[in-house]
Amino acid sequence: MRKRSILLALALLTASPTLAAEQKAWLPDQGDGTYRNPVLAGDYSDPDVVRVGQYYYLVASSFTNTPGLPILRSTDLVNWTLIGHALKDIPPVAHHMAPRRGGGVWAPAIRHHGGLFMIYYPDPDFGVFLVTAKDPAGPWSKPVLVDDAKGMIDPAPFWDDDGQGWMVHGWARSRAGFANVISLRRLNAAGDKAVGERIKIIEGDSLPPVATSRGPFPWMTTEGPKLYKRDGWYYVFAPSGSVKGGWQGVFRSRKLTGPWEGRDELDQGKTEVNGPHQGAWVTTPTGEDWFLHFQDYDSYGRRVWLQPMAWKDGWPVIGADPDGDGIGEPVLVHRKPKSAIASVITAPVDSDMFDGKLNLGWQWNSNSQADWADLKAAPGKLRLKSISGSENLWEAGAVLTQKLPAERFTATTKLTLAPRAVGEQAGLVMFGADYAWIGLRNGKDGLSLVRVDRPGADAFKPQRETTVLDKAPDTVWLRLSAEPVTVAEPPPGFTPFWPSMLRSVHAKLTFSYSLDGLTYHPVGEPFVSKPGRWVGAQMGVFAQAPTGTPSNTSTRIGWADVEEFLVGP
């Protein structure tokens, strides 16, 4: 089996771009000059994009996962490669040593100004921070606090024609006590400090209803602003109407301080694409305009879509506009943006053979410690220390996870547990507010293979356990296979709303194991995933000594070796 895995890895690394791409669970580039949405099937939420020369750089929120602020690069807005992260740890570092679910790094903005790449990001509990770099692949500077107002979210910088910098942002009701407001504040010359009076430029509660493809809707949860200028007009692109069921609004004014007039420029229309929400306008070197945004797709996270964009009477029309009313709707398939650089069909990294480093797709669930993982203990293996902590993984930071790569996929890993005390366990997990895992546990009578389900983990409900094998070897192969399932949801607590809010899409998981790496045996009933707090479900691995077991007070704990992690259709 080891030989087979090595050969597979070598094939992936040495194959032609097209052959290597075929191993991916989802590819947006159809190879014929067109693309299909989403262009990023993973949970790259709250995307913002900047073009520098012939390259595009995308940054996304990362909440409690570290390293944070993933950076992706593309030559055509369709094929994206993960090139690094802008944030090693979330400040304050001690505070974020625990997974502060729903906190951490919210929607960022990336710009290139004065020869530097600059990312402004909010932590709604502490304020807005700035990191900078000459190379988007890093290294990035340590975060600097730009504005310490609690509840600030979704900051975006803008430099006017006179060189004056500004920062536009929204507010989180959970921290600030109010929302549906877009504010503006000056930046100092370096762009690392907000100065002067804060100005409210858009107040959704005071605006008349906006015309949408389903009739008039009130402006609500207006947030995620991006500030631009074109032909003497200032534009604020800001979504509204709720994350899952809203639309992409655009406001314009001749003056930064207003008055501003707003329109719905992209909503669900007659498609099945709920809540096209929050993104970035980007212009290609050839002058084409495009818009990237996310769609909240429940357990699969906030997937990134690419829409063509055109201008009509001083307003952007985003996506397709079949009836010509100026309100766009998402496209499913479209011709690719023109590019001077030949495309390599690709998608962000997922499989890993642990050849001395982790691939960039992996993230911990909180700020991490250096001894949580060791890639030097054994060649071709990731050694995970059995970290003592809560039996409920919802409270654990030492869970190593990746974004889901597609609606349908498989993930297979080879796991060896080397415990030194009773209670240590390790496994392959589908993680969220409901989670499940399959793996090995060390009991008083030795190792067993177990399946654990914990629905309601975020509400601290008890877990359910099934012993698959009473006597298990120390090495097993584990697999999860996912396919989408649609479930009904109750109406939201407001009206009007889009019918798409009455359903959710989750991953239905089948877990299986093998003792030889060839024949796999399904275990138990399918498990239906649930997203986390503002993030989609995640797949990954962990090793743990639950609090209360003897290993928690022992000076010596064991480990688990993960020898491969293979993701495919």
Side-chain angles (χ1 to χ4, degrees), residues 214-447:
R214 286 186 57 80
F217 273 65
W219 291 95
M220 55 175 287
T221 324
T222 308
E223 57 186 10
K226 300 292 189 297
L227 180 57
Y228 307 102
K229 193 173 186 179
R230 179 183 185 271
D231 293 342
W233 287 96
Y234 295 96
Y235 292 88
V236 171
F237 284 52
S240 190
S242 83
V243 172
K244 187 172 179 180
W247 61 89
Q248 179 64 45
V250 174
F251 297 83
R252 73 175 188 178
S253 173
R254 288 292 187 183
K255 297 181 179 180
L256 272 174
T257 54
W260 294 83
E261 55 179 326
R263 293 176 29 165
D264 168 14
E265 297 295 356
L266 174 69
D267 67 32
Q268 180 172 338
K270 296 179 180 179
T271 75
E272 295 295 315
V273 186
N274 62 280
H277 194 91
Q278 189 165 343
W281 163 29
V282 63
T283 302
T284 71
T286 61
E288 294 180 348
D289 291 312
W290 296 82
F291 186 73
L292 290 109
H293 64 89
F294 77 77
Q295 173 208 23
D296 187 338
Y297 206 55
D298 308 304
S299 281
Y300 292 95
R302 297 174 174 183
R303 310 186 304 170
V304 179
W305 289 59
L306 176 65
Q307 306 296 340
M309 185 173 126
W311 290 88
K312 181 179 180 182
D313 301 327
W315 291 95
V317 179
I318 305 172
D321 184 15
D323 58 8
D325 65 354
I327 302 174
E329 65 181 34
V331 300
L332 300 178
V333 177
H334 198 271
R335 90 166 160 81
K336 291 173 55 180
K338 296 177 182 178
S339 174
I341 302 177
S343 297
V344 175
I345 298 178
T346 190
V349 64
D350 41 42
S351 294
D352 202 339
M353 298 304 292
F354 306 114
D355 55 351
K357 63 182 182 301
L358 287 174
N359 76 37
L360 294 174
W362 293 108
Q363 293 174 295
W364 297 102
N365 273 233
S366 70
N367 287 342
S368 63
Q369 297 281 7
D371 67 343
W372 284 5
D374 185 352
L375 285 155
K376 298 179 180 179
K381 296 181 181 180
L382 165 66
R383 179 159 293 179
L384 297 175
K385 183 179 179 180
S386 296
I387 302 299
S388 298
S390 170
E391 181 184 65
N392 186 351
L393 297 181
W394 185 255
E395 298 184 275
V399 182
L400 189 62
T401 56
Q402 291 192 24
K403 305 174 189 306
L404 305 189
E407 291 183 52
R408 290 178 171 83
F409 66 92
T410 62
T412 305
T413 191
K414 182 181 179 182
L415 181 76
T416 300
L417 181 60
R420 292 188 175 181
V422 171
E424 293 186 44
Q425 56 192 18
L428 173 67
V429 63
M430 175 61 73
F431 183 76
D434 293 356
Y435 68 79
W437 62 271
I438 183 172
L440 296 171
R441 176 183 292 153
N442 188 44
K444 294 179 180 179
D445 298 323
L447 294 178

Side-chain angles (χ1 to χ4, degrees), residues 519-556:
T519 303
Y520 284 82
H521 309 280
V523 175
E525 295 297 317
F527 166 77
V528 177
S529 67
K530 190 175 180 180
R533 181 68 169 164
W534 308 132
V535 297
Q538 300 170 349
M539 61 179 178
V541 291
F542 72 96
Q544 186 195 56
T547 300
T549 64
S551 58
N552 191 49
T553 56
S554 174
T555 57
R556 301 176 68 205

Side-chain angles (χ1 to χ4, degrees), residues 501-514:
M501 299 189 75
L502 299 179
R503 63 177 185 269
S504 289
V505 181
H506 299 297
K508 184 171 73 171
L509 276 298
T510 300
F511 287 95
S512 57
Y513 75 95
S514 174

